[in-house]
Amino acid sequence: MGKGARKKGPKQASDRKPKVRDVFVGQPFEGLAAEPELIALREFVPSATAKLTLADGGDVTLGTVLPMAAAAFVRSDGERYLGLQVQTRSSDISRDLGRSLKWLLDAKEGDVLGVPDTTTPPAADEHARLQDLLVPEAELDVTLHQDFGWWLPEDADATGDVAVSLERANAAIMPTERLGSGAYWVLAGEKAHLRWVRPEPENLLLQALARLSAAGELGLGEGSRYAGSFRAHGLLVPVWDLDPEAHAREWAEAKEALGTRLDAALKSLDAEPLNAAERRARDGLIGRQLTLR
């Protein structure tokens, strides 16, 4: 018997766990009517809450940021909160949030889930995505807040780590106003913007934006200009620079008019393909895109 044969011997059982194939989900909130709103609340709205409509009933409040960026917690008065803006994530944010939501339904007063469950294999935790747990057609009734006082019950005072987290979170808030579903005016330092998460497929939306651009109808009026767009969780978010001296309410009417023009442009695409000038405009718009996630 040669050396190689003597060394091999019977194979030993391996303690290694089989690798789990986890597929990245680029549009995690697809299929939910609240998709644009969820993306806005996760990406750039500082302090906001909204009641979630659960498929099996129950009472849970969605929050942009929770104390110490927790995934979920139950306030001392029993109010349940699910956090959108967390530091840890897997390849499927909807599944992360769904698992945190399921944890929250069984949690007790004072319980805190620091990070979402991103390690359980998907096959071992089916029906845990938001699409499985929420009423898909339900919209979000968003309430914006000037600070994060909603972390605490009325007449309660923050102490310890929560007090430190509250102070830091309040200091980071940028003035924000909601101008419609997924559309927010944000005052970022010396600049003001309209950030508008649109539900349409990116290619169609770019064509419609290009049609308006070529016709000189892409702006919001004097003191505004189209700045570009970014992708977030599978949807395109056009951005307009606005006069920071004007209040958010002064842009509401112009935003609605732009929405009407954009809807008309989208409807016209089937019957009227882009012409040469509009295709050039589309190429210019594509060159001004970024991808956040």
Side-chain angles (χ1 to χ4, degrees), residues 117-141:
D117 175 6
T118 61
T119 59
T120 300
D125 196 13
E126 295 182 0
H127 309 297
R129 306 183 77 239
L130 285 185
Q131 287 84 342
D132 302 317
L133 303 173
L134 303 182
V135 175
E137 60 272 17
E139 298 282 358
L140 289 181
D141 184 9

Side-chain angles (χ1 to χ4, degrees), residues 56-71:
D56 295 335
D59 187 17
V60 171
T61 301
L62 184 70
T64 49
V65 183
L66 302 186
M68 293 167 288

Side-chain angles (χ1 to χ4, degrees), residues 8 10 21 29 57 74 79 101 115 134 151 172 174 187 201 248 276 281:
K8 286 183 180 179
R21 182 175 177 81
F29 305 123
V74 184
E79 187 78 11
L101 177 56
V115 296
L134 303 182
W151 287 357
M174 294 185 294
L187 183 61

Side-chain angles (χ1 to χ4, degrees), residues 71-100:
F73 85 113
V74 184
R75 223 167 50 179
S76 60
D77 60 354
E79 187 78 11
R80 302 173 186 273
Y81 286 91
L82 176 68
L84 265 176
Q85 298 179 25
V86 295
Q87 302 300 317
T88 304
R89 56 170 290 181
S90 72
S91 63
D92 184 358
I93 294 173
S94 179
R95 188 176 65 225
D96 298 344
L97 289 165
R99 287 174 173 174
S100 297

Side-chain angles (χ1 to χ4, degrees), residues 192-198 202-214 216-231 235-243 251 258 261-262 280-290:
H193 310 284
L194 170 64
R195 300 169 181 172
W196 194 352
V197 186
R198 296 289 306 191
E202 180 178 325
N203 183 49
L204 288 177
L205 180 59
L206 279 172
Q207 291 184 63
L209 291 170
R211 176 151 289 172
L212 294 184
S213 179
E217 297 180 340
L218 189 53
L220 288 158
E222 185 178 353
S224 74
R225 74 176 184 90
Y226 181 75
S229 62
F230 62 89
R231 300 183 191 91
L235 294 186
L236 199 63
V237 187
V239 179
W240 286 261
D241 288 339
L242 306 175
D243 180 359
W251 300 105
L258 174 60
R261 297 196 301 273
L262 189 53
R280 288 193 296 271
R282 179 192 58 191
D283 293 342
L285 295 178
I286 291 175
R288 298 158 73 181
Q289 284 183 311
L290 297 172

